[in-house]
Amino acid sequence: MKEDLVNKINKLKRERNAIILAHYYQIDEVQAIADYTGDSLGLSRKAAETDADVIVFCGVDFMAESAAILSPDKTVLLPERDAGCPMADMVTADALREKKQEYPDATVVCYVNSSAEVKAESDVCCTSSNAIDIINAIDNDQILFVPDQNLGHYVSQQTDKEIILWEGFCITHHRVKDDSIHRVRELHPDAEILVHPECRPEVVELADFVGSTAQILNYARQSEVDKMIIGTEMGILYQLKQDSPNKQFYFLNQGLICQNMKKTALHHVAEALEKMKYQVSVDEATRIKAREALDKMLELSK
């Protein structure tokens, strides 16, 4: 059954001149059939660069929207229509416009985990990989950072600029408490603890390494330590094992699962290619403004 689905996907992909992009938090089978796996920044770049006619985005809705913003001439498909992002829903364009009136001189930096409408109200986007570099490259000392308060707080510790935080968070990373760190330190005193900056500040402070999904993978690959505790979504384990099969990996707790990222299965990918669904598009006025914020990010990330 699985082999038949994979063969069907590969056949349809050739026929459609399609590329499959998958986030590191997708289930193993989906990552395995992807042409490219990555974090938000890597996937954004690949979406902008591809020559494919069809982009099948195995992730959540804001990621597919970003691909549609960057590649309006492509057909962008989100295999599972209900794969959303609770953190992205914590900020709206209307609410952001109101906040901008409170801080008219602030540069709005928008985490890519947000809707196209919110990106359109922002000056520049960022990812967890490049947030520090983006903010330090901005010629303004006052930054309004939306929507992740934890990533924003982490960045505020790496810059002299004033960071105004939005009260949003990733419900998966926010579950991790500092007592988890203390517990695993006792259980595995010889292990390194690697966490995502979407975790709470008190968790980040106790970690040995803090970085985006891609940065955690790079660190784990290069580290001489052979036992690591991971503080990010459990889907990363597939790539960790691919890169470092002889190392041991544990998770800070068992709650590190993003249900939305886990909604996409192989049969959804096959059906998306077969029926060309679900197509993601952004109205042109919003797309143009959001594109400026994404292009600014890609420009500052070079």
Side-chain angles (χ1 to χ4, degrees), residues 236-249:
I236 195 177
L237 185 60
Y238 175 81
Q239 193 63 48
L240 285 168
K241 287 181 174 179
Q242 296 288 313
D243 293 346
S244 308
N246 297 320
K247 294 181 179 179
Q248 292 176 282
F249 299 103

Side-chain angles (χ1 to χ4, degrees), residues 29-43:
E29 290 86 352
V30 170
Q31 292 191 57
I33 55 97
D35 297 290
Y36 183 82
T37 55
D39 63 358
S40 294
L41 179 60
L43 295 173

Side-chain angles (χ1 to χ4, degrees), residues 96-108 140 142-144 162 164-165:
L96 179 53
R97 278 190 285 269
E98 288 184 21
K99 184 65 74 172
K100 284 164 67 175
Q101 291 179 355
E102 291 181 43
Y103 300 97
D105 297 326
T107 297
V108 180
N140 189 354
Q142 188 180 64
I143 307 294
L144 173 56
E162 177 190 4
I164 302 156
L165 300 178

Side-chain angles (χ1 to χ4, degrees), residues 15-261:
E15 292 173 357
R16 303 287 194 196
N17 187 27
I19 186 173
I20 299 174
L21 306 182
H23 193 276
Y24 288 129
Y25 298 165
Q26 292 287 295
I27 63 172
D28 293 2
E29 290 86 352
V30 170
Q31 292 191 57
I33 55 97
D35 297 290
Y36 183 82
T37 55
D39 63 358
S40 294
L41 179 60
L43 295 173
S44 294
R45 284 177 166 156
K46 187 58 65 173
E49 295 167 359
T50 182
D51 292 327
D53 296 318
V54 177
I55 299 171
V56 182
F57 216 118
C58 302
V60 292
D61 52 9
F62 75 80
M63 297 179 179
E65 272 192 343
S66 293
I69 290 165
L70 291 168
S71 304
D73 56 328
K74 314 284 188 194
T75 299
V76 179
L77 305 177
L78 182 66
E80 173 47 65
R81 181 167 51 186
D82 295 329
C85 174
M87 176 165 62
D89 295 337
M90 293 179 190
V91 57
T92 65
D94 287 342
L96 179 53
R97 278 190 285 269
E98 288 184 21
K99 184 65 74 172
K100 284 164 67 175
Q101 291 179 355
E102 291 181 43
Y103 300 97
D105 297 326
T107 297
V108 180
V109 178
C110 170
Y111 193 23
V112 292
N113 299 39
S114 55
S115 68
E117 290 78 11
V118 169
K119 289 179 175 71
E121 287 294 330
S122 304
D123 296 300
V124 59
C125 292
C126 74
T127 70
S128 51
S129 292
N130 64 21
I132 295 170
D133 291 339
I134 295 290
I135 284 174
N136 283 326
I138 292 169
D139 187 21
N140 189 354
D141 289 332
Q142 188 180 64
I143 307 294
L144 173 56
F145 190 89
V146 299
D148 185 6
Q149 62 188 8
N150 292 332
L151 176 59
H153 179 273
Y154 174 68
V155 172
S156 74
Q157 306 302 298
Q158 320 294 321
T159 183
D160 294 328
K161 298 185 178 187
E162 177 190 4
I163 309 295
I164 302 156
L165 300 178
W166 192 270
E167 294 185 3
F169 55 88
C170 167
I171 62 173
T172 300
H173 290 97
H174 204 66
R175 287 193 194 108
V176 183
K177 306 288 181 62
D178 54 351
D179 60 355
S180 295
I181 298 264
H182 297 306
R183 186 173 64 254
V184 297
R185 288 273 189 218
E186 292 179 4
L187 291 171
H188 304 284
D190 54 338
E192 286 187 320
I193 298 179
L194 288 55
V195 306
H196 197 285
E198 287 180 15
C199 291
R200 296 169 182 264
E202 58 268 28
V203 171
V204 167
E205 189 176 332
L206 293 169
D208 297 305
F209 176 79
V210 182
S212 69
T213 313
Q215 289 165 343
I216 287 174
L217 286 166
N218 289 336
Y219 184 92
R221 189 184 305 117
Q222 296 168 11
S223 176
E224 295 181 2
V225 175
D226 60 8
K227 183 190 290 187
M228 279 164 261
I229 313 295
I230 307 298
T232 192
E233 214 279 343
M234 297 177 79
I236 195 177
L237 185 60
Y238 175 81
Q239 193 63 48
L240 285 168
K241 287 181 174 179
Q242 296 288 313
D243 293 346
S244 308
N246 297 320
K247 294 181 179 179
Q248 292 176 282
F249 299 103
Y250 303 89
F251 285 90
L252 271 177
N253 62 37
Q254 295 305 303
L256 284 164
I257 299 173
C258 174
Q259 297 297 337
N260 281 281
M261 280 288 192

